[in-house]
Amino acid sequence: MVGDYCPISGENTDMHSQRNAKSGLSCKMVLQAVGKVLRKSKTKPNGKKPPAEEKKQYLEAEFTKVRVVDFDLKELVLLPREIDLNEWLASNTTTFFNLINLQYSTISEFCTGDTCQAMTACNTIYYWYDERGKKTKCTAPQYVDFVMSLVQKLVTEEENFPTKYGKEFPNSFDSLVKKICRYLFHVLAHLYWAHFKETVALDLQGHLNTLYAHFIVFVREFNLVDPKETCIMDDLSEILCAPVPPTPAPAAPSSPNSAPSPSSHNHVTER
């Protein structure tokens, strides 16, 4: 009858305990599985925790505002009307090679096989590919040496970068320039990522910022480097390559007999 007290036999007790044990085990397994899924959702697909993002010192305002020049770099890279496009690309590419090589030389003693065991920039590792396409992982100084040696060879070979009057540029010239610029970008990115502290200690951050901004504006103007390649430094590029705001004109001096403007009482200069 409903409401009657029905005692549970020993056999029933054992069965009930077994059911409880199985239920507890099932719940535990479910919780463990859910926890595992939640932990993996916060990690990379392989289940490993992503490395903590390092603070980018070069993005701090006290450093990004330091430049060598303050004029619009866009005007500096535009192709002049009377200059051939290939001549313009060759001249600028050679200049950037020399300047970036010089910039790297200022910190080269800090870039060693021990301090820079791989050519890194913003959690990206660059591998060197030889002429046969063989992929090689090397230290940063080795990689930079490969880059500078290759570029030096390319820009000094007459058949690649002709200097004699009437000599035609090769059909592969555009691809050569793009290849050079891609490698030079790797060096600049490594300078910021691994050696910005040394650059600041040498008080050369203004030179590096100006060189980087000039280079990025140039390669963007002529589509020389794939944006997918340079996107790792987009945060810096957007800061350094922003158009320079126009300099406000100085306020005209007021005559002694003129009535003070309302703003003069608040010590605010209108521009």
Side-chain angles (χ1 to χ4, degrees), residues 12-33:
N12 290 337
T13 302
D14 292 340
M15 294 176 60
H16 184 71
S17 300
Q18 290 176 5
R19 285 196 297 270
N20 287 341
K22 289 182 179 180
S23 299
L25 181 59
S26 299
C27 291
K28 184 177 181 181
M29 292 174 65
V30 170
L31 291 174
Q32 288 177 343

Side-chain angles (χ1 to χ4, degrees), residues 52-122:
E53 184 175 354
E54 296 184 30
K55 185 178 181 181
K56 300 176 181 178
Q57 183 185 16
Y58 54 80
L59 293 179
E60 296 179 11
E62 63 176 304
F63 300 119
T64 57
K65 68 182 181 182
V66 182
R67 317 283 178 89
V68 175
V69 295
D70 58 358
F71 54 81
D72 189 2
L73 294 173
K74 178 74 172 179
E75 298 181 7
L76 191 62
V77 305
L78 290 177
L79 176 66
R81 293 181 180 179
E82 66 279 6
I83 301 297
D84 175 72
L85 174 60
N86 287 339
E87 290 283 357
W88 185 247
L89 294 179
S91 175
N92 280 274
T93 301
T94 304
T95 299
F96 280 123
F97 160 64
N98 291 323
L99 292 176
I100 293 173
N101 192 21
L102 179 62
Q103 185 77 43
Y104 176 79
S105 69
T106 63
I107 57 85
S108 59
E109 63 180 299
F110 306 107
C111 187
T112 67
D114 293 328
T115 60
C116 302
Q117 298 180 9
M119 183 65 177
T120 58
C122 302

Side-chain angles (χ1 to χ4, degrees), residues 21-231:
K22 289 182 179 180
S23 299
L25 181 59
S26 299
C27 291
K28 184 177 181 181
M29 292 174 65
V30 170
L31 291 174
Q32 288 177 343
V34 172
K36 188 175 182 180
V37 171
L38 291 176
R39 287 194 299 273
K40 280 193 173 183
S41 66
K42 298 178 181 179
T43 62
K44 290 185 175 182
N46 60 9
K48 295 180 180 179
K49 292 183 178 180
E53 184 175 354
E54 296 184 30
K55 185 178 181 181
K56 300 176 181 178
Q57 183 185 16
Y58 54 80
L59 293 179
E60 296 179 11
E62 63 176 304
F63 300 119
T64 57
K65 68 182 181 182
V66 182
R67 317 283 178 89
V68 175
V69 295
D70 58 358
F71 54 81
D72 189 2
L73 294 173
K74 178 74 172 179
E75 298 181 7
L76 191 62
V77 305
L78 290 177
L79 176 66
R81 293 181 180 179
E82 66 279 6
I83 301 297
D84 175 72
L85 174 60
N86 287 339
E87 290 283 357
W88 185 247
L89 294 179
S91 175
N92 280 274
T93 301
T94 304
T95 299
F96 280 123
F97 160 64
N98 291 323
L99 292 176
I100 293 173
N101 192 21
L102 179 62
Q103 185 77 43
Y104 176 79
S105 69
T106 63
I107 57 85
S108 59
E109 63 180 299
F110 306 107
C111 187
T112 67
D114 293 328
T115 60
C116 302
Q117 298 180 9
M119 183 65 177
T120 58
C122 302
N123 295 330
T124 299
I125 299 179
Y126 296 116
Y127 295 86
W128 182 257
Y129 292 83
D130 61 18
E131 296 178 354
R132 294 174 296 178
K134 182 180 179 181
K135 179 180 178 181
T136 305
K137 182 180 179 180
C138 52
T139 65
Q142 287 175 327
Y143 188 95
V144 175
D145 183 61
F146 289 153
V147 168
M148 298 307 175
S149 298
L150 175 64
V151 176
Q152 177 73 34
K153 179 182 178 182
L154 292 176
V155 300
T156 54
E157 287 183 346
E158 185 68 19
E159 59 268 25
N160 292 325
F161 281 64
T163 58
K164 295 180 181 179
Y165 179 77
K167 184 79 172 181
E168 296 291 333
F169 285 89
N171 294 331
S172 60
F173 180 73
D174 183 68
S175 62
L176 286 177
V177 170
K178 289 180 178 180
K179 181 178 183 179
I180 291 172
C181 289
R182 181 168 61 89
Y183 282 141
L184 293 180
F185 172 77
H186 295 172
V187 177
L188 284 173
H190 181 72
L191 284 173
Y192 274 104
W193 184 253
H195 300 290
F196 191 70
K197 289 182 179 179
E198 291 90 346
T199 301
V200 171
L202 295 170
D203 198 24
L204 293 175
Q205 66 271 25
H207 293 79
L208 179 58
N209 286 343
T210 305
L211 175 58
Y212 178 84
H214 187 187
F215 178 80
I216 292 297
V217 172
F218 174 73
V219 298
R220 284 180 174 178
E221 175 68 19
F222 300 101
N223 299 315
L224 298 176
V225 182
D226 191 333
K228 294 180 181 178
E229 189 82 35
T230 60
C231 67

